[in-house]
Amino acid sequence: MTRKQFLNDLYLRLTALGPERAEQHLTYYAEMLADRMEEGMSEEEAVASMEDLDTIARRILEEEGQPEEPQPVMPPACPDASRIPGGGGTRAYQPPKKWGRRKLIGAALWTAAAVVLVGTVARYANDRRAERTATMDWLTEDVPHMEEAVEQAAEEWENFSYLFANQGDMQELQPDQVQSISIQCSTGSVRVWESGEGTVQYGAEEGQLSWQLEDGHLTLRPAGNYGDLVVYCPSGLLDRLEISTVSANVVMDYMDVGSLEIATISGDVDLCGFYADAIGLTSTSGDLYLSDVQTGALNMRNTSGEIDFYNGAAVECHAETISGGIDLELNGTNEIYTSSTSGDLELTLDGTASLVSCVTKSGDVELEVPEDLEFTLTYNTISGDLESSLPLTRSGDSYACGAGGPESIEVNTTSGDLYLEAY
């Protein structure tokens, strides 16, 4: 069993705690696995050395005062409903009277669970920022917050009139009808692609799709427990795109939006050829992969997963991992802030950044810079070494390459080495 599988299976056993408390325990065991791997164990050996999942989950639930057999939170299934006039094949959500209240309560609970999921990431990030220096305060007031939008949607749930589409049925809206989209998916996948038709199209390749349009905001979710959701949207149309998933991957290609927020648990995120004014990505037990992405403010946080960003540009880039590595190849980025609790940092710089900050607790830092770049380096470590292929002049904890220059690189490690190379 891999580390990712172990953490995913453990999370599924702790759903009775809610995402916030479950993720706290998940982070604890992610760091425990990382410590054992640092001591020389392979990933499989570290997982095998742990107690069995049922024992761990039972002990946690007992400590938290929860029943031994937690019931996972599942989205409500939408029953059949009569066709509405002029609906073009869509159907209104009309639960049978006998079960109307029960279905409504189930729907509200599932929405509340989604709100907690998204809020967890923000609250946990706040706790982490309090323990770090002001340099690593990577969430700014200008970055859009998904939590507020989802909470507002949850409050208005009972007033929504949801429609649903059968598997394979694609719905279509004119571009002047949609300004923003929220997607929530529990199991399956979410794919968002550029539309060549000039309209907004959406549907479920597997399972049924539940959807609602309110004041230009389109909300999409599986109507049952599973759905492969696909959305086609004209590039540059959306002011805001928000996606939250549990055990569902997110794939997006060649899009242009105002702001993008994605929060996943046990799901990978793959962005290619994407542009946005601001991007916020958070994941627990999933990988973040970006290529050919351009944005203003880029904020990425991962627990037990990798962050890879290739051939991209961001005015300001923040990347933080717990039990995972970071690999960045950036062009035209003014400020770069990276942090890892247990993982290596690999950065390829083009020499345009005025400030580069790297912080690791237990991981190496590898920096590749242009051979003619002049910069000032500050390196603080407890038990790490510095190796450089560039000529450096040392003064205390500071090093100058060439005349020093306005570019500033700050590296702080607890037990990690710094490798500085030219290309």
Side-chain angles (χ1 to χ4, degrees), residues 11-12 14-19 70-76 106-114 186-187 225 246:
Y11 176 82
L12 294 177
L14 301 179
T15 52
L17 301 179
Q71 296 298 321
V73 178
M74 292 296 182
L109 288 175
W110 187 72
T111 303
S186 56
T187 305
N225 296 334
V246 177

Side-chain angles (χ1 to χ4, degrees), residues 363-364 379-387 413-418:
D364 297 331
Y379 177 45
N380 297 305
T381 184
I382 295 177
S383 60
D385 298 318
L386 169 61
E387 296 184 16
T413 71
T414 300
S415 59
D417 298 328
L418 171 60

Side-chain angles (χ1 to χ4, degrees), residues 410-423:
E410 302 173 358
V411 179
N412 297 276
T413 71
T414 300
S415 59
D417 298 328
L418 171 60
Y419 301 94
L420 189 60
E421 299 180 358
Y423 66 85

